[in-house]
Amino acid sequence: MREIAHLPSDMAIISSKQPAADAQQPPKEKKKRTPKQSAIPIQLASVDSEILQAEIATTEEKIQEESLRPSSIREYIGQKDLKGVLDIAIQAAKVRQESLDHLLLYGPPGLGKTTMALILASEMGVNCKITAAPALERTRDIYGILMRLEPGDILFIDEIHRLPRVTEEILYPAMEDFRLDITQGQNATAKIRSIALPRFTLVGATTKIGSLTAPLRDRFGLVQKLRFYEVDELTLIVQRTAEILKTAVTPEGAVEIARRSRGTPRIANRLLKRVRDYAQVKGYAHIDGSIASAAMEIYNVDPLGLDWVDRLLLTTMAEQFNGGPVGLDALAASTGEDRHTIEEVYEPYLLQIGYLQRTPRGRVVTAAARKHLGLKGGDDRTEQLSLLE
Ligand SMILES: Nc1ncnc2c1ncn2[C@@H]1O[C@H](COP(=O)(O)OP(=O)(O)OP(=O)(O)O)[C@@H](O)[C@H]1O
Ligand SMILES: [Mg+2]
């Protein structure tokens, strides 16, 4: 059960049925990225970097995504640990006829945080009210939302690391004691009026767990990380999406797409749609391995889903820094990329596939990365360094 909240238009809640479920801000069309100058000769702009970005790209994609979301835990592919923990929490809460503990979901974009929040609500048979931290700027935004909660409701706050301080402080007693403290008046004459709230479950989602304050993090009973997906899990996701889109894909075709999806369901779904366009234009009735590969070549998607920035980072490390170790600031200065973007957008996947390692002295490029990029050198510095540590 999900509900459309009847609120004044300046309120922050939006219905989970509406397409713009993930955020309340006006949709940002992403700017086309232009490769930045690099000192090393490397073929840039050979990959359409948009297609491999895990963040949601357009309003249209956001709308389409709603139709692809699995709606039960059974349909939710992968994330075994997360599903195991939540399954037990759901069953226990149902037996005790209580609301679920507050839950914090964190992990890179496009891995299924919002999807899981919606599934929890439907498994618990409760309403899910959705908002995003940037929409909670004024205290009255959060007051309004909390006062309209019904027993058992799930309140989903996306990008929770971006909550303004005042809003966060209102949430503390609400989460802990189901109590809303409303401050009336100002300074010396200010009075606090307390209102009892029904028991509800706050589900917070963030891509940056490190940016959350400790008091907020500590108020979540469950803190769960979403992991990158394995190729076999992404293959199942591609097959499931293909079925919804009524597109015929052979198992080999699905694997080809899964391998290039950077461990991310959102990218897998996006690549499938591009390959489907290609097959349609070329007049193929179904997508097999070689059609999927040919399409990916047209879109300049690397066999492992690396884009030009990944390649630039790895090549810079290998060629300018002799494989590392190199500090984040030096890497940022040499590539012209923002250090936070390197750390939050690129590194997680490169670490996941073992192309990059973090050591106490800095980042190190691995032999596997050199091999993939056809770079010479290749004495595996990571091994040497681990002996030194
Ligand atoms: N486990 C899964 N099984 C099947 N499809 C999935 C799964 N996880 C995510 N998806 C698909 O990927 C898309 C993106 O998922 P979702 O919006 O939940 O990601 P998110 O973690 O909330 O991302 P963001 O950090 O950008 O908000 C969804 O449309 C959904 O179809
Ligand atoms: Mg989300």
Side-chain angles (χ1 to χ4, degrees):
M1 259 189 291
R2 299 172 195 168
E3 83 165 13
I4 295 181
H6 298 286
L7 292 169
S9 56
D10 63 342
M11 284 287 178
I13 295 180
I14 55 174
S15 155
S16 50
K17 280 225 169 99
Q18 287 177 353
D22 256 15
Q24 188 69 4
Q25 291 173 305
K28 273 185 278 171
E29 299 293 335
K30 286 178 94 177
K31 274 192 235 128
K32 189 88 193 152
R33 303 188 57 171
T34 42
K36 298 193 178 92
Q37 285 297 312
S38 145
I40 46 165
I42 172 175
Q43 241 214 313
L44 297 179
S46 60
V47 173
D48 169 7
S49 61
E50 300 280 295
I51 197 174
L52 293 168
Q53 293 290 312
E55 282 135 356
I56 208 146
T58 59
T59 326
E60 194 194 346
E61 182 171 57
K62 197 175 275 188
I63 294 166
Q64 284 183 350
E65 214 165 60
E66 294 306 309
S67 61
L68 302 178
R69 284 193 203 286
S71 54
S72 66
I73 285 218
R74 205 173 25 82
E75 269 183 83
Y76 191 95
I77 294 157
Q79 306 290 352
K80 278 200 198 75
D81 295 348
L82 171 71
K83 284 195 295 192
V85 168
L86 295 182
D87 221 10
I88 290 174
I90 291 169
Q91 287 184 43
K94 277 186 174 168
V95 170
R96 290 199 303 262
Q97 297 191 322
E98 279 178 4
S99 56
L100 280 173
D101 254 353
H102 302 305
L103 166 69
L104 181 63
L105 296 172
Y106 71 97
L111 296 192
K113 299 181 291 296
T114 302
T115 307
M116 185 49 93
L118 295 172
I119 287 177
L120 279 181
S122 94
E123 296 276 344
M124 289 296 292
V126 298
N127 296 315
C128 185
K129 294 181 172 168
I130 300 179
T131 186
L136 300 174
E137 250 170 39
R138 299 160 306 180
T139 48
R140 68 182 169 117
D141 294 330
I142 190 73
Y143 285 163
I145 287 174
L146 292 172
M147 286 190 329
R148 282 167 176 78
L149 287 174
E150 284 165 33
D153 274 1
I154 287 183
L155 170 59
F156 178 65
I157 304 185
D158 212 352
E159 300 180 72
I160 195 158
H161 60 275
R162 292 176 65 184
L163 273 185
R165 183 99 211 149
V166 281
T167 310
E168 193 174 314
E169 280 169 7
I170 293 167
L171 275 181
Y172 295 160
M175 290 172 78
E176 221 161 26
D177 305 322
F178 302 101
R179 194 186 80 227
L180 177 59
D181 291 338
I182 298 181
T183 313
Q184 291 171 319
Q186 278 180 345
N187 305 328
T189 58
K191 280 194 188 122
I192 292 179
R193 190 160 64 98
S194 289
I195 299 174
L197 295 171
R199 293 186 83 85
F200 69 99
T201 301
L202 180 67
V203 178
T206 179
T207 49
K208 296 180 192 163
I209 182 96
S211 305
L212 240 67
T213 65
L216 182 59
R217 208 177 46 228
D218 293 347
R219 281 172 172 79
F220 286 95
L222 293 165
V223 178
Q224 292 291 309
K225 177 180 179 173
L226 279 88
R227 301 179 184 283
F228 283 114
Y229 292 69
E230 302 293 337
V231 171
D232 57 343
E233 295 165 341
L234 288 164
T235 305
L236 293 175
I237 291 174
V238 169
Q239 287 170 326
R240 178 182 170 276
T241 303
E243 216 163 279
I244 297 171
L245 298 176
K246 301 194 175 23
T247 302
V249 183
T250 67
E252 294 75 26
V255 170
E256 284 300 321
I257 295 170
R259 273 174 47 210
R260 292 163 165 88
S261 303
R262 302 176 71 90
T264 307
R266 176 175 292 140
I267 298 178
N269 289 343
R270 189 185 298 151
L271 291 180
L272 171 63
K273 284 188 210 145
R274 296 276 180 110
V275 175
R276 181 181 64 152
D277 291 348
Y278 173 88
Q280 191 184 322
V281 169
K282 296 277 179 185
Y284 298 121
H286 64 266
I287 297 166
D288 64 16
S290 56
I291 292 170
S293 301
M296 302 292 191
E297 227 163 89
I298 297 233
Y299 296 124
N300 285 319
V301 174
D302 170 300
L304 272 180
L306 299 192
D307 74 11
W308 67 267
V309 181
D310 296 304
R311 290 168 165 272
L312 174 63
L313 292 172
L314 295 170
T315 313
T316 304
M317 288 174 66
E319 297 192 340
Q320 286 186 22
F321 296 94
N322 193 25
V326 47
L328 197 52
D329 287 323
L331 192 57
S334 298
T335 56
E337 281 298 320
D338 171 60
R339 62 167 282 159
H340 296 290
T341 311
I342 295 177
E343 199 170 22
E344 285 152 24
V345 179
Y346 292 99
E347 265 191 4
Y349 182 65
L350 294 174
L351 288 166
Q352 162 78 11
I353 59 173
Y355 277 18
L356 199 75
Q357 286 194 348
R358 271 191 201 156
T359 72
R361 293 152 198 239
R363 276 76 178 155
V364 179
V365 71
T366 66
R370 284 178 190 273
K371 193 166 165 227
H372 181 73
L373 294 172
L375 297 172
K376 296 210 175 67
D379 50 323
D380 196 341
R381 307 265 302 158
T382 50
E383 250 169 52
Q384 293 173 14
L385 281 162
S386 56
L387 292 175
L388 289 174
E389 302 309 342

